[in-house]
Structure formats: structure tokens, C-alpha cells
Amino acid sequence: MNGSPTVNDHTVVNEMPSVDRTVTVNGTRTAVAESAIRPEHFRDVLGRFATGIVVVTGVSTAGGLPVGLAVNSFTSVSLTPPLVLFCIGHDSTSWPEMRGTGRFNVNILAEGQRHISARFASRSDNKFRGIDWSSAANGMPVIDGVLGLLECTVEAVHAAGDHDVVVARVHRMEVRDGGLPLLFYRGGYGRYTDL
Ligand SMILES: Cc1cc2nc3c(=O)[nH]c(=O)nc-3n(C[C@H](O)[C@H](O)[C@H](O)COP(=O)(O)OP(=O)(O)OC[C@H]3O[C@@H](n4cnc5c(N)ncnc54)[C@H](O)[C@@H]3O)c2cc1C
């Protein structure tokens, strides 16, 4: 075995040529060969990991206006204390608007809320136009009909490549609707069925 990946019907090796670079560890420079994965291949493979979809909602630090965006990089992190995370692209315009408040809500979308995901994944001056919502106990927006709500405060933000990893503490949460989740898989929407 030389460790090379096996190429068969199920394996597509799609890498750019290795790029030699050096890293410094404890003051020692070491040459490393870094395989540059093509972005489209990265998306294709990662797209096979099905996820739910949440809308992260908050209010703008400047004017207290509702802001939000669709996110599928959401996951739980810790039970004690209760921590969650999501990853936010550096080109997001909504996150910088709301992060100054240190608070936001996570709205877990139901299968009938595809239009809400699309709206909050789009560029829009007012993503809440025509969307039914109210203020949760923490004053941040909660969208009507979501499966679940988590009221959070920002615990830490870690830079990671072209995204930031936002770690947040959950202060209050509730199941809002008994329906089924909206799912995201290979760039499209789907619904959950029992096997
Ligand atoms: C199912 C799903 C899951 C997603 N998960 C994530 C996730 O986990 N993390 C994540 O970061 N994103 C995720 N996205 C993408 C995210 O929802 C969209 O990028 C959304 O538009 C971001 O909203 P925003 O208001 O922060 O930024 P936007 O204002 O929508 O800006 C997005 C991009 O458009 C550009 N832009 C904005 N306004 C203009 C303009 N007037 N003219 C030209 N360019 C403009 C911005 O510079 C930026 O590059 C997901 C999308 C979907 C559909």
C-alpha cells in the first residue's frame, strides 16, 4: 500500500497539482505539500452531506431593524454548557450588521418553508417583507411556523479560511411546530421520510 487513493466507479480524484509551501512550527520552517482541492469538487462532495436549514435572525446594531440569513452549517457543540455553532462567510452583509448586538436567534425551518430559505439566502434590503414573524423573549425576530427556536448570545468567533466559526450559548429554546424539517442536499431542497 502506498496510500494512494483507489480510482474506481465511486471515486473521482479531482485535485489541483500539489502546491509546495512552508509552515513554521515552534520556530522551525518545514516544507509541506498542500493539495489544493478544486472549489467545485469540494462543493460536490460536501453537498452529499444532507443538512437541515436554519435562518439566523437578529437586529441591526445601528437601527434595530430585523436582519437574517439562511445557514446550513449549523450544529450543536456542547450540552453543558449548551453551545451551538454556525459558519458565516466573510462576504455576508447581514452578519456584520447584527453581530454587534451579541445576540441572535436560530430558526429551524419546516418543510413548507423553502420560500423562506430562498428569501434569506438572497440579497435583499428587506428580507422580512411579506414574512410573518414576531419578537422572541430576547427581542430578536422569530419566524412564524419554524420547527424550533434557539435564543443565543455570541460566545466566541474563530476565523477559519474564508468563513468565521461563530460559537454561541443557548439561553432559551422551544419546539414551535410539530412538522417535519426542510432538508438541503446536493444544492437542492428535500423532505424527510422514515426508512
Ligand atoms: C440552504 C442554504 C444554506 C446556506 N448556508 C450558509 C452558511 O452556512 N453560511 C453562510 O455564510 N452562508 C450560507 N448560505 C448563503 C447565504 O444564505 C447567502 O449568501 C445570503 O445571501 C447571505 O445573506 P447576507 O444578507 O449576509 O449577505 P448578502 O447581502 O445576501 O450578500 C451576499 C453576497 O452578495 C453580495 N452583494 C450584496 N448586495 C449586493 C449588491 N447590491 N450588488 C452586488 N453584490 C451584492 C455581497 O457582497 C456578498 O458577496 C446558505 C444558503 C442556502 C440556500
Side-chain angles (χ1 to χ4, degrees):
M1 288 282 285
N2 62 6
S4 300
T6 304
V7 180
N8 56 34
D9 288 348
H10 308 292
T11 307
V12 179
V13 178
N14 183 7
E15 296 176 358
M16 294 164 82
S18 290
V19 177
D20 289 329
R21 67 183 181 100
T22 59
V23 295
T24 302
V25 180
N26 294 333
T28 305
R29 284 175 75 80
T30 309
V32 293
E34 185 178 79
S35 170
I37 303 287
R38 293 182 193 281
E40 60 272 22
H41 187 46
F42 187 87
R43 284 202 194 94
D44 183 35
V45 175
L46 271 293
R48 291 164 203 253
F49 182 61
T51 67
I53 304 171
V54 302
V55 175
V56 172
T57 53
V59 297
S60 61
T61 316
L65 296 172
V67 289
L69 78 158
V71 160
N72 73 334
S73 57
F74 172 77
T75 191
S76 61
V77 174
S78 161
L79 197 54
T80 311
L83 299 176
V84 295
L85 71 73
F86 68 94
C87 303
I88 185 77
H90 288 165
D91 60 1
S92 165
T93 61
S94 291
W95 175 244
E97 282 188 64
M98 72 171 95
R99 70 172 286 179
T101 67
R103 291 188 290 173
F104 64 86
N105 283 342
V106 173
N107 299 257
I108 303 173
L109 296 189
E111 66 175 359
Q113 296 185 310
R114 176 181 174 164
H115 63 293
I116 291 178
S117 172
R119 168 70 67 81
F120 282 90
S122 70
R123 296 174 199 155
S124 170
D125 287 342
N126 184 3
K127 296 183 181 183
F128 287 81
R129 189 183 303 122
I131 305 273
D132 292 326
W133 64 279
S134 59
S135 291
N138 65 352
M140 303 294 113
V142 53
I143 297 167
D144 285 8
V146 296
L147 297 187
L149 164 70
L150 294 86
E151 300 181 15
C152 305
T153 57
V154 176
E155 189 88 355
V157 179
H158 306 283
D162 54 13
H163 279 58
D164 281 350
V165 181
V166 179
V167 179
R169 184 179 290 254
V170 181
H171 294 273
R172 189 178 161 276
M173 58 199 309
E174 57 182 276
V175 173
R176 306 270 296 189
D177 189 284
L180 292 171
L182 181 64
L183 300 183
F184 195 64
Y185 174 65
R186 297 189 71 182
Y189 294 101
R191 62 165 56 92
Y192 173 84
T193 52
D194 284 331
L195 292 177

